Amino acid sequence: MISFENSDLIKEQQRYAESIALERIRPLARYYDAYEHEHEIPWDFVRFIWDTGRKGLDALMPGAEVPDEPFMLQIHTSEMISWGDVGFFMCLPWPALGGNAIQNTGTEEQKNRLTERFRGERPTWTCMALTESHCGSDSSAIRTRAVRDGDGWVLNGEKLFVTSARKALEESEGFMVVWATTDPGAGRSAIRPFLVEAGNPGVRIMKLENKLGLRASDTAVVILEDCRIPLENLLGGGEKGFKGAMATFDSARPAAASSGLGIARATIDFVKEELGRQGVTIRYALPRRLLTAIERDVIDMETEWRAAWLLTVRAAWMVDRGIPSTVESSMSKVKAGEAVTRITQKGIELMGPLGYSERMMLEKWMRDGKIIDLFEGTGQINRLVIARRILGYSGRDLK
Amino acid sequence: MYSFEPTEEQKMVIDAARRLAAREFRPRMRDSDEKGEPDPAWMDEGWALSLLPASIPEQFGGFGANSALTWVLAAEELAWGDLGATLALLAPNLVALPVLRAGSPEQKAMHLPAFCNDAWAPGAAALMEPRIAFDPFALETKAVRDNGGYRVTGTKCNVPFALESDWILVYAALDGKTQALLVPTNAPGVTVGERERNMGLRALPLYSVSFADCAVPASHLLGGEQGCDFDLLLAASRTALASMAVGVARAACDFALDYTRQRTAFGEPLARRQSIAFTLAELVTDIDAARLLVWEAAWNLDQGKDAVRAAAFALNFSSDMALRTADRAVQLLGGYGYVRDYPVELWLRNARAFGVLEGIATV
Ligand SMILES: Cc1cc2nc3c(=O)[nH]c(=O)nc-3n(C[C@H](O)[C@H](O)[C@H](O)COP(=O)(O)OP(=O)(O)OC[C@H]3O[C@@H](n4cnc5c(N)ncnc54)[C@H](O)[C@@H]3O)c2cc1C
C-alpha cells in the first residue's frame, strides 16, 4: 500500500539530527569554511558524535542494531546533518565510502574488521580512492598498479580527490580502499579493491586540495609508493572486481542526493524565513500566471526539491528491500544534483547583494552544493546510466 | 513507513486501465480528435471498469469507498491512452466526487445513485471563466442570497458535457468565497452556448455556459448551509489533472524512445547520440518524479491531510513536465512530429491544457 508516512524511528532521528545541526554545526560552519586548511578537524563535534551522539546515529554504524530500514534512516540523517553543513556531514566518523566498498565487496572477516574499528575508543574514518589525475568518470582506465609479491600485494600509483584521506590515514587508525589494476592492459576485468591501513608504509598524502566549497572536509592527493599490504587485504579475496565498485553506487548515489537536498533545503528554509520577515506570503494555491515572480521562484524551488527528494526516498526504499535500483538511484542523483545547483543559485538572486555576501550563508551553500552534480558520477554519467538502461544499450552502443 | 507498492487491488485496476487505454482509446484517438466527438466505445467499455461505482458507498448504490490514490493510478494509465477519452470517461466524477466529499446527506442520496447504474452518465462542472485574469478564488460568477435561496449570475467556459448533463456543479463567489451549487441544466436562466474550440482536447465536448439571475434553492448549495471546503475540491481536481499529465508525458516519451531507437541517421540509430539519449533520460526521470508528487498529493487527500501544497507541487511540476516532454517528442521525431499521421502533435496540443485549464477532472 502506497504511503508517504515516515516511521516514528526516522522522525525521532530527524529531530535529534536537527538539534545537532543547530547546536553543534551551524555555529561553526562559517569558520571552517573560512580557514580551509588552518583548522583542525572539528574535534568537538566529532567526539560528541563518537561518544554520545553515536547512540542516535547508531544506525549508521556497522554492527549496530539494524532498524527495519537502515538506508532510509541514513538518507534522512544525511539530509538533516547536511542541512546543518555538508562539510561537517563529510566529517562524520562513520564508515562512509570506504565502509560502503567493504560492505559490497568484502569477505565476512573483512566486514568484521571494519565493525571492530568502529567500536573502539577513538573516532575513525575511512576513505575510498578510485579517481586518478587522468581519469575520473572513465574509472576503468585507472593505472594504479597492484602486483602480487610473495605473501603480499605491492601498490604503486597516485590517487586524486580522495575524500577524508587525511582523517582516515593521518588523524585516526582508519583505512583506505584503493582500486587498482593487476593488469593495466586488461581494463575493468583486472581492477580489484584493496585495503590500505593507516600507518602502512608506502602511503602518504601529497597535497590537500583548495576547493570551491566543502572546505570543512579534506580532499587529498594520495601517493602509493611500493606500498606493501598483506594478502588478506585484497577485498573479497579477489572475487569481487570492478562490478563491486559499481554496486556501491546504488546506495552512494541516493546518499549523495540526500546530502545535496539538505543543502538545498537549508537555502529554501532561509529564503522563506527572510521573505516572511519582509511580509511576503506564498500563495501556493493560486494559478501560476497570477503569482508574483518571487512566489513562482519559491514554489518552483520547493517543487523541484520535493521531486528530487521523493526520487531519493524511492531509491532508498528499494535499496532497503534489496530491489535492484541502478536506474532509480541514478535518477535521484541527476535530479538532486540539478536541484541543489539551481536552488542555491536562485536563493542568492532572491536575496540580492546580501545573498551574495558572506553575511548570509547562501553563497556558501551555493559553493558547497555544486559538488553534488560532480562526484558519485557526474550528472552526465548518471544520465548515461539511465539512458543505457531505458534504451537497452551497452556501453559500446552509447558512449 | 514509506511505501511505493500499490495494493493487489490497485494493480488490477492499473492493468485493466492499461488494457482499456491500449485497446479502446489509442485506436480511436485520432478520429475523435478530428471529428470533435468522444467515441461512444470509450464510455461503454470504460464504464465496465466500474471505477466510479467502486468509489461510492453501498448506501448510495455503489460498492466501495473513494480512494484518490486508486484514481490517480488509473488516470495515469487512461491518459497514456488518450487524454480526451480519459476526461470524457471520468466526467461523471465532476459531480459525483465533490458531492461524495462535501455534499450534505440529502445531496448524496439525491445525486450519487445516478452514477451507480449500468451505463455511463455525464457529469458537468463549471469553474473556468472566459477572461485572462480568471482566478478560482475570485470568481466573477456570483451567487447572492435571495428569498431563502440563491441567484447565480455569470459566464463560464470549458464546461464538459454541459449540453448532455442533467446537472451542472457551478462554482460561484458567495460572500467573497468560492462555493459550489448544483444547478439543473434546464433551470430558467441557464444557457448552454457554443462548443468551445480549443487547440487540444478536441474530442471532449466543452461548452460555454451562462447563468442569468438563475434561481437555486438553498438545499442545492454543495455541503448544505455551511457550504464546502473549496481548497480541498481544488486540490483534488489538480491532483487528477497532474496524474493525467504524467500519462500524456509517458505516451509521448515512450513513442519518442521507440522512434529514435529505430530511425537511423548518419549510419546509426538516433538514440545512440548523447544529445538524444540524455534528453530521454531526463524525460523519464521527470516522469517518475512527477508520478511520485502525484501519489503524495493523492495520499494526502486519502489521509484527510491538508493537500493544498502537495497538489500545487504535483500540478506545477507535472504540467510543465508534460508540456516539455510532448515538445521534446515532437522535436525528436523531426518533421514527422509535426504531421497528423503521427500522434505526437496531438499530445503536444493536449499537454498544453495542463496548467491552463482547471476543474475539468477530479478524484
Ligand atoms: C570534493 C571532491 C571529492 C571527491 N571525492 C572522491 C573520493 O572520495 N574518491 C574518489 O575516487 N573520487 C572522488 N572525487 C572524484 C570525482 O568522483 C570525479 O571528479 C568525478 O567522477 C569526475 O571525474 P573527473 O573529475 O575526472 O572528470 P571527467 O571524467 O574528466 O569529466 C569532465 C566532464 O566530462 C563529462 N564526461 C565525462 N565522460 C563523459 C561521457 N562519457 N559522456 C558525457 N560526458 C562525459 C563529465 O560529466 C564532466 O562534465 C571527488 C571529487 C571532488 C571534487
Side-chain angles (χ1 to χ4, degrees):
Chain A
M1 176 133 117
I2 293 168
S3 167
F4 289 79
E5 184 82 88
N6 234 333
S7 71
D8 288 340
L9 178 72
I10 290 177
K11 285 187 201 159
E12 196 185 310
Q13 166 98 353
Q14 273 183 305
R15 279 193 292 274
Y16 178 64
E18 185 179 25
S19 71
I20 293 177
L22 282 173
E23 289 157 28
R24 300 186 175 266
I25 298 179
R26 282 278 176 98
L28 297 174
R30 182 53 86 179
Y31 175 86
Y32 280 88
D33 179 65
Y35 298 95
E36 183 169 16
H37 295 308
E38 288 96 299
H39 67 66
E40 282 219 295
I41 292 170
W43 281 114
D44 284 350
F45 165 73
V46 164
R47 289 216 179 84
F48 173 81
I49 296 290
W50 192 260
D51 295 339
T52 64
R54 209 151 47 116
K55 67 179 183 318
L57 299 172
D58 231 4
L60 300 180
M61 301 296 162
E65 197 181 312
V66 182
D68 292 342
E69 307 176 290
F71 192 56
M72 186 69 85
L73 182 63
Q74 182 186 321
I75 63 153
H76 280 81
T77 308
S78 53
E79 193 271 350
M80 187 61 89
I81 298 290
S82 303
W83 175 86
D85 184 81
V86 68
F88 274 63
F89 168 68
M90 309 279 280
C91 288
L92 279 177
W94 63 298
L97 288 181
N100 194 352
I102 293 181
Q103 290 298 345
N104 275 289
T105 61
T107 60
E108 281 314 306
E109 185 273 328
Q110 286 161 338
K111 287 183 196 172
N112 288 338
R113 249 159 92 189
L114 166 74
T115 308
E116 278 316 304
R117 204 63 62 89
F118 284 88
R119 301 234 165 241
E121 285 298 303
R122 296 188 44 207
T124 303
W125 290 272
T126 77
C127 59
M128 194 278 293
L130 179 60
T131 306
E132 299 181 4
S133 61
H134 69 286
C135 73
S137 301
D138 184 11
S139 47
S140 63
I142 55 172
R143 293 183 189 143
T144 294
R145 196 63 208 277
V147 179
R148 174 78 193 265
D149 179 32
D151 58 353
W153 288 91
V154 177
L155 306 177
N156 273 292
E158 180 183 315
K159 289 290 183 182
L160 204 67
F161 296 146
V162 186
T163 296
S164 296
R166 177 176 157 212
K167 292 190 288 290
L169 299 177
E170 292 186 346
E171 303 282 353
S172 74
E173 275 155 38
F175 55 81
M176 171 167 68
V177 172
V178 177
W179 295 89
T181 176
T182 55
D183 177 0
R188 19 187 125 235
S189 65
I191 294 175
R192 294 284 178 277
F194 298 88
L195 199 119
V196 178
E197 301 269 359
N200 199 97
V203 56
R204 72 186 158 89
I205 288 173
M206 188 177 86
K207 175 189 169 193
L208 296 176
E209 302 288 352
N210 302 308
K211 303 192 297 296
L212 173 66
L214 215 66
R215 291 182 184 157
S217 160
D218 65 273
T219 308
V221 179
V222 178
I223 306 288
L224 296 152
E225 219 165 6
D226 293 331
C227 176
R228 191 181 178 84
I229 55 169
L231 279 187
E232 62 266 25
N233 283 19
L234 171 61
L235 285 174
E239 273 155 38
K240 296 269 182 86
F242 197 65
K243 279 214 173 87
M246 297 298 120
T248 62
F249 283 131
D250 286 2
S251 56
R253 285 173 176 160
S258 69
S259 179
L261 291 171
I263 310 171
R265 188 167 59 84
T267 302
I268 294 172
D269 287 355
F270 181 84
V271 165
K272 281 176 69 181
E273 206 179 310
E274 284 297 314
L275 289 174
R277 249 198 282 281
Q278 309 289 321
V280 177
T281 53
I282 312 295
R283 295 166 294 172
Y284 290 91
L286 214 60
R288 205 172 154 72
R289 68 184 192 293
L290 300 178
L291 297 167
T292 65
I294 286 186
E295 284 176 305
R296 272 194 191 199
D297 281 346
V298 171
I299 291 174
D300 285 349
M301 287 160 85
E302 288 190 75
T303 301
E304 201 178 356
W305 188 90
R306 196 82 207 151
W309 178 241
L310 291 179
L311 287 174
T312 307
V313 168
R314 179 184 63 170
W317 178 81
M318 294 172 78
V319 168
D320 276 333
R321 279 154 192 78
I323 305 170
S325 69
T326 305
V327 170
E328 290 79 3
S329 292
S330 282
M331 283 181 170
S332 74
K333 175 67 168 47
V334 164
K335 202 73 201 153
E338 223 169 63
V340 62
T341 301
R342 275 216 286 260
I343 289 168
T344 54
Q345 291 175 0
K346 182 56 92 174
I348 291 178
E349 182 195 324
L350 291 181
M351 296 291 108
L354 274 180
Y356 196 67
S357 144
E358 290 184 9
R359 278 184 267 194
M360 290 179 171
M361 294 297 274
L362 295 170
E363 62 83 26
K364 177 179 180 301
W365 290 332
M366 176 180 144
R367 288 185 286 110
D368 287 345
K370 187 61 226 174
I371 190 59
I372 305 298
D373 211 17
L374 294 173
F375 63 11
E376 304 297 354
T378 63
Q380 291 97 319
I381 293 303
N382 279 296
R383 281 170 174 78
L384 267 182
V385 171
I386 299 165
R388 282 179 190 150
R389 186 61 68 92
I390 59 174
L391 288 160
Y393 282 173
S394 67
R396 213 167 324 155
D397 296 333
L398 182 63
K399 292 203 183 72
Chain B
M1 231 181 240
Y2 278 103
S3 169
F4 299 95
E5 175 104 33
T7 62
E8 290 308 313
E9 220 171 300
Q10 286 168 337
K11 285 182 191 164
M12 275 155 55
V13 170
I14 292 172
D15 272 357
R18 187 173 292 169
R19 265 179 278 128
L20 178 74
R23 207 182 49 217
E24 304 293 340
F25 289 9
R26 275 289 173 92
R28 301 182 161 91
M29 150 179 100
R30 177 58 74 184
D31 262 8
S32 291
D33 181 77
E34 301 274 336
K35 279 199 223 119
E37 295 297 335
D39 194 297
W42 289 345
M43 279 78 97
D44 290 348
E45 300 291 324
W47 196 249
L49 264 55
S50 288
L51 294 173
L52 187 51
S55 309
I56 295 174
E58 259 172 64
Q59 64 183 122
F60 305 115
F63 56 90
N66 193 38
S67 158
L69 257 171
T70 305
W71 277 117
V72 299
L73 294 170
E76 178 189 326
E77 298 303 330
L78 296 173
W80 173 87
D82 181 54
L83 181 62
T86 305
L87 290 168
L89 175 61
L90 302 189
N93 289 15
L94 293 170
V95 173
L97 296 183
V99 166
L100 188 59
R101 273 188 198 286
S104 66
E106 298 76 39
Q107 288 164 350
K108 288 181 188 174
M110 179 167 175
H111 291 279
L112 294 180
F115 297 108
C116 299
N117 296 327
D118 288 340
W120 176 90
L127 176 61
M128 280 175 277
E129 296 174 344
R131 56 202 175 88
I132 297 165
F134 160 69
D135 176 353
F137 300 99
L139 296 175
E140 272 189 358
T141 303
K142 299 271 186 300
V144 292
R145 288 171 212 281
D146 177 62
N147 250 334
Y150 305 94
R151 286 189 174 270
V152 176
T153 301
T155 303
K156 296 289 186 179
C157 63
N158 288 321
V159 183
F161 294 104
L163 200 60
E164 294 83 0
S165 302
D166 296 335
W167 293 84
I168 305 180
L169 187 65
V170 183
Y171 293 86
L174 174 64
D175 304 331
K177 281 170 76 177
T178 300
Q179 288 294 324
L181 301 103
L182 289 149
V183 180
T185 324
N186 60 9
V190 179
T191 311
V192 176
E194 299 217 337
R195 262 292 295 272
E196 304 277 7
R197 286 202 296 274
N198 293 316
M199 77 179 295
L201 299 185
R202 298 178 73 88
L204 183 72
L206 294 166
Y207 301 87
S208 68
V209 182
S210 63
F211 301 87
D213 220 16
C214 173
V216 180
S219 61
H220 288 191
L221 182 69
L222 186 69
E225 224 165 286
Q226 78 273 27
C228 69
D229 178 357
F230 175 65
D231 289 355
L232 171 67
L233 297 184
L234 193 62
S237 169
R238 287 175 173 173
T239 303
L241 286 169
S243 71
M244 294 175 196
V246 177
V248 172
R250 228 180 70 207
C253 184
D254 286 357
F255 199 90
L257 193 143
D258 287 344
Y259 183 85
T260 54
R261 204 162 30 186
Q262 275 155 29
R263 172 93 172 171
T264 56
F266 304 100
E268 62 178 5
L270 286 172
R272 288 179 62 165
R273 309 269 163 180
Q274 276 197 357
S275 94
I276 288 170
F278 281 16
T279 301
L280 293 168
E282 285 162 17
L283 297 180
V284 296
T285 301
D286 281 350
I287 288 171
D288 272 20
R291 179 183 303 113
L292 294 171
L293 289 167
V294 169
W295 286 7
E296 186 173 43
W299 181 81
N300 273 294
L301 287 167
D302 285 347
Q303 298 294 309
K305 295 181 193 282
D306 182 0
V308 169
R309 265 188 217 204
F313 293 157
L315 187 60
N316 189 29
F317 192 88
S318 307
S319 57
D320 199 45
M321 179 281 293
L323 182 59
R324 188 170 59 246
T325 305
D327 174 77
R328 290 297 87 192
V330 169
Q331 187 69 25
L332 292 179
L333 263 77
Y336 291 120
Y338 202 73
V339 297
R340 303 218 296 275
D341 292 343
Y342 283 80
V344 286
E345 64 78 31
L346 189 157
W347 289 324
L348 178 60
R349 288 185 286 115
N350 282 352
R352 182 59 280 186
F354 300 111
V356 178
L357 302 196
E358 292 248 42
I360 52 172
T362 196
V363 294

